[in-house]
Each structure stands twice: as C-alpha cells, then as structure tokens.
Amino acid sequence: DAARHCDSMGQAPLHRAVATPWPVDVLHAVLDTAPVAVSLQDRAGRLPLHIACTFGAPVSFLGSLAKIHPESLIKKDVHQDTPLHNLVAQDGASLLDACRVLCSSSAAVLALQTPDSRGDLPLHTAVRRSVGDDVCKLLLQQNLYAASLLNFEGEAPIHIAVNRCCKTISQH
C-alpha cells in the first residue's frame, strides 16, 4: 500500500515525516499506517531513526521508533553512522533527553560500542561536537569502556577534548 511505497530515494512516507516538524500525534499516525517502515533503509542506508535523530524529531517519538525496532540503533548508514552518532552530532535543547531515551533501549549497549567510518564511538562524536558535559557524562555512564577506546587516528575521547580545549585557548 501507499504507506510502504518507497520513492526514488528509497524512502517510505515515514522517512519523510520524521524530517519534518510535525506534531508527535501526526508522526504516530504515519507510523501506525505502516509500522514495517521503521526497518526500511533508504538508498543512503538510513532508517527512519537515523533521519529522526538528525532532524530533531520529538523525543517520545524517538522512543517509539527504538521500541518497535531496537536493532535500528546499531544499523549503519552509508557513512557508517548509527542513529546515536547522528543524534550526538546535533544541537538542541532536548538532546540530553533524546540520549536518555535511546540509551534506555535494549540495543543501546551495542550502539554505544559501534564505531563510525573514523572509528569514533558515539562518545567520541559527542566530545568532538562539544555537545555538553551532561550528554558526555550519560554516554560515559552507559559505556565506561568507551573512554579508553581509540579511534582510527589513535584518539580516545579525552584526546579529542584536550585538543578542542587547546585550540580554544590558542584562539584567545
């Protein structure tokens, strides 16, 4: 049916809906018409959760997507990013709450240990983007081991933090 039909980009209506600032009840109505769409990857390898995390969909809706298809947290797009990588690369007032919701998912343990194309875990990405101490603290509490893991450039999250701090100080 139309709710499962994919466009030329491989996107179902749910992919498009989560990229818009629609109210959560409208998003749920789209989801309810074709819940199978939560597991469909578009031509860029993105699931609706990847797109929802990138475009700041309502936190409660992120939780619904993760609950219906927990495996979506560990799926990588063509850039090797997971939805959690996409989320912590964004700014926003609800970022901490969104991280809490995704970290409460059954697949969060694996998602927090999944590297992107640079070898960065979500914690590396969060530190690199300076998303805030609360978000970094939450990610660290969920995966203490991530603090010591090196990316492909040989950097642990603390190396990235120190480098950012040194660049900031040298610019003043």
Side-chain angles (χ1 to χ4, degrees):
D1 69 346
R4 286 184 255 208
H5 175 75
C6 293
D7 63 16
S8 62
M9 303 225 6
Q11 294 186 338
L14 183 60
H15 288 85
R16 296 294 180 125
V18 296
T20 63
W22 287 352
V24 72
D25 59 325
V26 173
L27 293 173
H28 276 287
V30 174
L31 175 61
D32 291 344
T33 62
V36 70
V38 300
S39 63
L40 299 177
Q41 289 181 280
D42 66 11
R43 295 201 191 285
R46 298 174 301 182
L47 294 163
L49 187 58
H50 284 93
I51 297 169
C53 288
T54 300
F55 287 95
V59 172
S60 63
F61 194 70
L62 294 178
S64 296
L65 293 174
K67 184 177 181 182
I68 292 170
H69 188 59
E71 300 84 16
S72 63
L73 260 71
I74 57 173
K75 292 286 185 179
K76 294 181 178 185
D77 64 16
V78 296
H79 302 291
Q80 300 302 303
D81 292 326
T82 66
L84 200 50
H85 285 98
N86 293 141
L87 180 65
V88 299
Q90 307 306 315
D91 297 323
S94 61
L95 179 59
L96 179 60
D97 290 335
C99 284
R100 281 188 184 120
V101 165
L102 293 188
C103 285
S104 69
S105 170
S106 60
V109 172
L110 291 175
L112 290 162
Q113 298 173 18
T114 303
D116 65 10
S117 61
R118 298 172 70 155
D120 285 349
L121 301 178
L123 180 60
H124 287 88
T125 303
V127 171
R128 190 179 309 284
R129 297 284 303 177
S130 299
V131 297
D133 293 345
D134 290 340
V135 171
C136 291
K137 182 179 176 181
L138 173 67
L139 296 176
L140 196 54
Q141 287 171 341
Q142 298 296 315
N143 183 16
L144 193 56
Y145 184 60
S148 63
L149 290 179
L150 305 180
N151 63 15
F152 298 150
E153 296 173 12
E155 301 170 313
I158 190 67
H159 296 123
I160 297 167
V162 169
N163 287 338
R164 287 191 60 79
C165 182
C166 290
K167 286 178 186 174
T168 302
I169 290 170
S170 68
Q171 292 173 353
H172 291 288

